[in-house]
Amino acid sequence: MAIDQGTTSSRAIIFDHSGKIVATGQKEHEQIFPRAGWVEHDPAEVWDNVREVVASSLSQANMNRHDIAAVGITNQRETTVVWNKETGEAVYNAIVWQDTRTQKIVEELGGGNPDKYKDKVGLPLATYFCGPKVKWILDNVEGARADAEAGKLLMGTMDTWVLWNMTGGVNGGVHVTDVTNASRTMLMDLKTLDWDADIAADMTIPMSMLPEIKSSAEVYGKGDQGGFLMDIPIAGILGDQQAATFGQACFEKGMAKNTYGTGCFMLMNTGEEIVPSKNGLLTTVCYQIGDNKPIYALEGSIAVTGSLVQWLRDNLRMFDSAPEVEELAASVEDNGGAYFVPAFSGLFAPYWRADARGALVGLTRYVNRGHIARSVLEATAYQTREVLDAMEADSGVQLEELRVDGGMTANETLMRFQADQVGVPVVRPVVAETTALGAAYAAGIAVGYWSGEQDVIDNWAEDKRWTPAMEDAERERLFRNWKKAVTKTFDWVDEDVEG
């Protein structure tokens, strides 16, 4: 079983030995927006939902815990929760990866140098990562700093919160994270795979709050006595994008996958080598199986892709269900000159501009709903190309194909345009739920249900392939205009603008 604690919902998916889905439970949780730029989740609601989806998947499969060999956890990565280990209650809502409230903290920490910690942690100073979120909670929640310094508070990403609760919570819950999630905190040294005490001190985070760092595939603990998974080993943890890379069998240096979800995340396996980025990418841990050496990756993170379609649906009411965006986009032949840059929470890779905000440009009287829908889909493809170009420049490896997964891969118009923009075949596997699958594989390998990576490779199967068909001149013209559109989003947030 994989527990996939995502940005918009929590899921439990049961897989068989061939990597096929047996049953799924899913439940959405509330997205909380207290102010512009702030995004939160209620950790108690998320934990309740996790229990519910575990029960739902078991019931749907007509199984009980004895039928489950092991459980893997995958999660929305940088979303951060701080809780009291004596009461089991969070001291504040989880601060979500998209949240930008820590901008001032980030600027103060960097002192004008956003790459201050990059050599150690592989990440630029940005609101995206966990460390500054923890500092914000300790600085702003009454009593939190005193409790943290008294050793009463714990912090973690959502994998750590779920695992701690699953293994007993206040009654002996295991406080652990894996190397992939730890590599997103800005607090872990990529070489040693240990917490860096100096950076934690800079961020005024007591070391006692931090979970123990383990590999991505080993037994961390067992389901507690009162749960649906009593005594079942919890044996795999991977941050969602690393889990998808694992599920896509990207085990060779130079292989890459792109996941199309709330945002878009492309990872390229760089093997045992830590490749520093000169082109706005993140250097991160890809996975570590037990005692094996860690495998690293370059990552390009794009904040807004699928959530832009949701925004058209919910905020602008342009259609009633997300799949309708394709119908609308297909009603026109091209974008009509319109470009939509969805910098709702600034721009992530390769720009890292927190001062950017969304822009719809190139408008004329000719542009209609169809053109706007098309520009929304195209924005995802352009952003992906920017990241891929940066990856090839950093790694010196030319991509041969791009493996894709996630909800938006069902969108034929987008996938065709994506292949045209990246100029290499785009390939979707039979099981598109590769995030959950990767976590299941890690757990299964840890307990011997699968023998190792070769089983993952053998189970991977191609479902559909899109090959580039657009002429080079047109491809470059469209991309040139996109790059121009991006510049129109810069410098929007001034000193006196909150959030």
Side-chain angles (χ1 to χ4, degrees):
M1 178 187 285
I3 293 169
D4 178 358
Q5 202 301 291
T7 307
T8 55
S9 68
S10 300
R11 299 184 302 172
I13 304 183
I14 300 171
F15 294 95
D16 66 14
H17 197 269
S18 67
K20 298 224 166 41
I21 292 174
V22 177
T24 304
Q26 179 165 1
K27 191 167 187 195
E28 289 195 3
H29 52 263
E30 186 187 356
Q31 305 295 314
I32 303 163
F33 306 107
R35 294 163 68 169
W38 293 28
V39 192
E40 299 175 2
H41 296 154
D42 176 354
E45 181 194 6
V46 168
W47 168 234
D48 285 347
N49 288 2
V50 165
R51 293 166 67 201
E52 205 172 304
V53 297
V54 165
S56 162
S57 66
L58 287 168
S59 131
Q60 197 187 105
N62 204 15
M63 287 180 174
N64 63 34
R65 64 189 174 86
H66 300 292
D67 299 304
I68 304 296
V71 177
I73 299 172
T74 181
N75 56 295
Q76 46 162 335
R77 292 171 302 178
E78 299 78 7
T79 297
T80 307
V81 60
V82 172
W83 71 97
N84 186 309
K85 67 181 182 188
E86 293 169 4
T87 65
E89 288 178 13
V91 302
Y92 189 79
N93 278 339
I95 301 182
V96 178
W97 57 273
Q98 301 150 310
D99 189 286
T100 57
R101 78 185 66 187
T102 56
Q103 185 57 33
K104 283 196 171 60
I105 291 174
V106 161
E107 286 165 6
E108 284 162 14
L109 282 167
N113 176 19
D115 291 338
K116 183 176 179 184
Y117 306 122
K118 198 169 180 184
D119 287 347
K120 275 188 182 175
V121 302
L123 312 171
L125 267 159
T127 59
Y128 184 24
F129 307 110
C130 308
K133 299 183 200 299
V134 177
K135 177 171 167 51
W136 187 92
I137 289 172
L138 297 183
D139 288 348
N140 289 278
V141 175
E142 198 178 335
R145 181 160 300 283
D147 281 350
E149 281 163 6
K152 292 181 185 176
L153 299 190
L154 303 177
M155 69 73 71
T157 38
M158 297 307 278
D159 57 303
T160 303
W161 169 247
V162 169
L163 177 70
W164 186 80
N165 280 294
M166 283 182 77
T167 51
V170 291
N171 300 310
V174 174
H175 188 222
V176 158
T177 191
D178 90 302
V179 286
T180 67
N181 280 293
S183 75
R184 315 301 291 192
T185 59
M186 295 203 83
L187 298 166
M188 186 189 84
D189 185 312
L190 282 177
K191 293 185 188 76
T192 63
L193 305 183
D194 284 326
W195 299 120
D196 187 289
D198 294 339
I199 300 176
D202 280 1
M203 296 195 192
T204 64
I205 299 169
M207 296 290 282
S208 60
M209 293 179 73
L210 304 177
E212 189 181 350
I213 302 172
K214 302 260 197 179
S215 80
S216 312
E218 61 180 274
V219 177
Y220 313 108
K222 295 191 171 177
D224 80 319
Q225 298 306 301
F228 296 112
L229 296 167
M230 183 172 106
D231 295 334
I232 304 305
I234 299 152
I237 299 176
L238 286 155
D240 52 10
Q241 304 314 320
Q242 284 92 338
T245 310
F246 201 83
Q248 283 273 35
C250 292
F251 299 131
E252 306 233 346
K253 195 172 171 177
M255 290 181 79
K257 70 88 209 173
N258 197 25
T259 297
Y260 297 77
T262 304
C264 249
F265 300 88
M266 191 189 294
L267 268 76
M268 179 186 273
N269 183 326
T270 62
E272 291 175 10
E273 185 187 357
I274 297 172
V275 178
S277 176
K278 297 181 179 68
N279 294 283
L281 301 180
L282 311 177
T283 305
T284 195
V285 179
C286 197
Y287 58 88
Q288 183 189 21
I289 301 303
D291 296 330
N292 296 352
K293 285 187 174 176
I295 300 297
Y296 295 94
L298 280 168
E299 174 174 337
S301 315
I302 304 164
V304 177
T305 54
S307 53
L308 180 56
V309 177
Q310 288 174 327
W311 183 82
L312 277 195
R313 181 193 67 192
D314 300 340
N315 292 37
L316 298 193
R317 309 256 184 227
M318 274 181 71
F319 37 78
D320 295 325
S321 69
E324 290 175 59
V325 72
E326 182 169 15
E327 203 179 308
L328 208 49
S331 69
V332 292
E333 282 180 21
D334 53 37
N335 63 16
Y339 290 81
F340 202 139
V341 187
F344 292 162
S345 49
L347 287 165
F348 282 15
Y351 299 100
W352 298 103
R353 294 287 296 250
D355 61 1
R357 285 297 176 268
L360 179 54
V361 299
L363 298 184
T364 59
R365 286 286 299 273
Y366 171 69
V367 172
N368 63 31
R369 288 167 70 224
H371 296 117
I372 291 172
R374 194 172 187 97
S375 72
V376 161
L377 295 184
E378 290 185 356
T380 294
Y382 294 132
Q383 291 180 99
T384 297
R385 176 174 169 186
E386 287 183 311
V387 166
L388 181 57
D389 288 351
M391 256 178 204
E392 291 184 338
D394 275 337
S395 67
V397 176
Q398 292 292 304
L399 201 67
E400 289 174 19
E401 65 177 29
L402 179 61
R403 292 190 171 185
V404 298
D405 52 72
M408 291 177 89
T409 59
N411 191 310
E412 184 76 25
T413 306
L414 170 59
M415 290 297 105
R416 207 176 321 124
F417 190 77
Q418 184 68 86
D420 286 338
Q421 274 302 312
V422 294
V424 295
V426 167
V427 184
R428 181 178 70 201
V430 172
V431 179
E433 296 295 352
T434 52
T435 300
L437 185 57
Y441 278 140
I445 288 169
V447 299
Y449 181 75
W450 285 291
S451 58
E453 286 102 317
Q454 191 57 48
D455 281 349
V456 182
I457 294 165
D458 294 344
N459 283 351
W460 190 92
E462 182 177 313
D463 173 48
K464 185 146 192 191
R465 175 179 290 256
W466 292 269
T467 48
M470 188 179 280
E471 288 183 13
D472 281 353
E474 177 63 359
R475 169 179 181 250
E476 294 311 322
R477 182 188 73 80
L478 289 168
F479 191 57
R480 185 186 75 236
N481 283 335
W482 162 261
K483 298 287 266 188
K484 199 190 299 180
V486 171
T487 65
K488 308 300 179 196
T489 70
F490 296 165
D491 299 315
W492 187 259
V493 178
D494 297 325
E495 282 298 305
D496 58 351
V497 176
E498 278 285 337

